[in-house]
Amino acid sequence: MQNQDQASAAPAAPADLSARFEQEFGIAPDGVWQAPGRVNLIGEHTDYNEGFVLPFAIDRTARVAVAARRDATVRLLSTYGDQGVVTTALESLQPGAAKGWTKYPLGVMWALRERGVNVPGLDLLLDSDVPLGAGLSSSHAIECAVITALNDLTGAGLEAQDMVLATQRAENDFVGAPTGIMDQSASLRGSKGHAVFLDCRDQAARLVPFETEPAGLVLLVIDTKVSHSHSDGGYASRRASCELGAEVLGVKALRDVEVADLEEASGLLDEVTFRRVRHVVTENDRVLQAVELLAGPGPGAIGPLLDASHASMRDDFEISCPELDLAVDTSRANGAIGARMTGGGFGGAAIALTPVDAEQKVRAAVVKAFADAGFAAPDIFTVSPAAGAMRIA
């Protein structure tokens, strides 16, 4: 039985990270900043279709200790892996030039420079306990920590919406991942005990109460250990299908298609494109329903929406995988009131909204099911809605 959370070790305390920074770079950092990963409660692949999403910042973060330099050199180091210090020059920053984790901070620096921000050279040390490749947005946590630090250090005065768009440009144009604005928005706008209801057309955001503990629930994350990447072809092909669907239906984005329009749409689109469109349209509707339920009866009422969301992603959008389906099905069969894959798909994590008294049964059943299927052992841990990006030292 998996009684203990098995995600990455907790990030270093700010004082410890500062001490490590000074040991590595020979100077004290100007500060330490952190930004959280996120779980998307519901609303998958709706963001780049100008739709609705309902993510929340989680209590797992990326932390960066940063010192500005007087020259144009950038030195980057992470507490994990064996890369050592990666050194580059500001003038050399260009899309496609960076590899590994360094493309995320470097992409942010590039995007800010493209906006006209006077970004200095810097030394940076990264530490994180957001699981990699699990669909919890470890990359955006890094980007949001870095942009929060640079906004402070440069005095750029960027508002949250400016930082959201800058990090999106870093992802799209520097990293090469065609993502929307959901992940950055959750990381930058998150608040303890709340989810972020985001309109991806105009970035309008409001906080929606989401607290599981008073409802006698926990939200389990089941990291399948099947790694995914937003820069691969699966994500891009789904986005292309959505754009094709919008073009054929004569709308600016699939946000403008209602559930009642689907019958007519089925006669205008090929079968695959229609199913892609149907997922986005019905998922937008599920987000709106979830917001209403959370404001009324509370989190105990949203289980069926989570279940329907997973079925839609599995069957219409076709972004699930055997490990995710097994995690979802086993969780439901052992007491979860709702479960779905979360994130971009093709691997990553599932979430299971579970009564407290069924938590250990669900954990044990999922571990056994994965072992019986010959899958790698999953990591299973709880998450709670947490605060967004901030300076912590």
Side-chain angles (χ1 to χ4, degrees), residues 262-283:
L262 287 174
E263 183 175 358
E264 180 182 357
S266 67
L268 300 173
L269 302 168
D270 67 83
E271 187 263 340
V272 172
T273 305
F274 172 70
R275 286 191 290 108
R276 305 296 188 250
V277 168
R278 181 169 61 186
H279 164 71
V280 173
V281 173
T282 58
E283 187 80 344

Side-chain angles (χ1 to χ4, degrees), residues 18-347:
S18 294
R20 173 73 182 275
F21 182 98
E22 190 164 0
Q23 175 186 338
E24 296 288 349
F25 294 113
I27 57 172
D30 293 327
V32 179
W33 290 261
Q34 74 175 24
R38 66 96 188 94
V39 159
N40 191 21
L41 189 60
I42 197 163
E44 223 65 77
H45 287 266
T46 50
D47 59 344
Y48 55 79
N49 289 292
E50 299 187 9
F52 305 105
V53 292
L54 191 62
F56 62 90
I58 61 174
D59 47 352
R60 292 176 181 272
T61 62
R63 293 179 172 177
V64 291
V66 181
R69 296 175 59 91
R70 294 183 178 181
D71 58 18
T73 299
V74 180
R75 298 191 296 175
L76 306 174
L77 179 65
S78 168
T79 60
Y80 54 86
D82 299 313
Q83 280 189 304
V85 175
V86 176
T87 302
T88 189
L90 285 175
E91 289 73 17
S92 69
L93 296 182
Q94 57 182 346
K99 305 297 181 183
W101 73 269
T102 65
K103 62 191 174 187
Y104 303 115
L106 293 176
V108 169
M109 298 177 74
W110 172 83
L112 288 178
R113 284 166 59 87
E114 290 289 297
R115 287 180 66 101
V117 176
N118 186 20
V119 177
L122 55 81
D123 294 332
L124 180 148
L125 175 62
L126 167 69
D127 189 40
S128 178
D129 70 339
V130 184
L132 302 178
L136 303 184
S137 200
S138 57
S139 61
H140 285 95
I142 296 170
E143 291 168 346
C144 290
V146 172
I147 201 167
T148 302
L150 290 175
N151 192 37
D152 286 353
L153 291 174
T154 63
L158 301 178
E159 300 292 337
Q161 63 183 13
D162 300 316
M163 293 192 283
V164 164
L165 294 176
T167 51
Q168 183 191 24
R169 185 171 186 196
E171 278 283 314
N172 293 175
D173 298 339
F174 191 90
V175 176
T179 57
I181 64 171
M182 176 184 65
D183 297 344
Q184 306 95 319
S185 297
S187 188
L188 290 163
R189 299 177 184 267
S191 176
K192 183 176 175 63
H194 294 82
V196 180
F197 175 42
L198 178 67
D199 182 333
C200 296
R201 169 158 285 171
D202 62 7
Q203 281 205 65
R206 65 181 171 92
L207 298 175
V208 176
F210 178 61
E211 293 187 282
T212 55
E213 186 175 350
L217 301 168
V218 294
L219 191 71
L220 290 172
V221 173
I222 303 163
D223 180 0
T224 67
K225 296 301 190 178
V226 179
S227 186
H228 72 164
S229 171
H230 280 174
S231 57
D232 67 13
Y235 189 102
S237 70
R238 297 309 186 277
R239 184 162 186 165
S241 290
C242 293
E243 291 168 353
L244 173 62
E247 180 181 354
V248 172
L249 296 176
V251 295
K252 180 175 183 289
L254 293 183
R255 149 72 171 274
D256 301 309
V257 181
E258 303 287 343
V259 173
D261 300 326
L262 287 174
E263 183 175 358
E264 180 182 357
S266 67
L268 300 173
L269 302 168
D270 67 83
E271 187 263 340
V272 172
T273 305
F274 172 70
R275 286 191 290 108
R276 305 296 188 250
V277 168
R278 181 169 61 186
H279 164 71
V280 173
V281 173
T282 58
E283 187 80 344
N284 272 325
D285 187 60
R286 284 185 286 270
V287 174
L288 298 177
Q289 291 184 58
V291 170
E292 287 189 11
L293 291 172
L294 289 174
I302 67 171
L305 294 175
L306 303 183
D307 293 344
S309 175
H310 184 78
S312 182
M313 290 185 287
R314 181 191 64 211
D315 301 333
D316 278 353
F317 224 61
E318 296 182 284
I319 56 173
S320 190
C321 66
E323 291 86 349
L324 286 167
D325 292 339
L326 183 61
V328 166
D329 293 344
T330 304
S331 297
R332 290 174 184 151
N334 286 276
I337 66 170
R340 63 183 285 270
M341 58 151 284
T342 187
F346 310 104

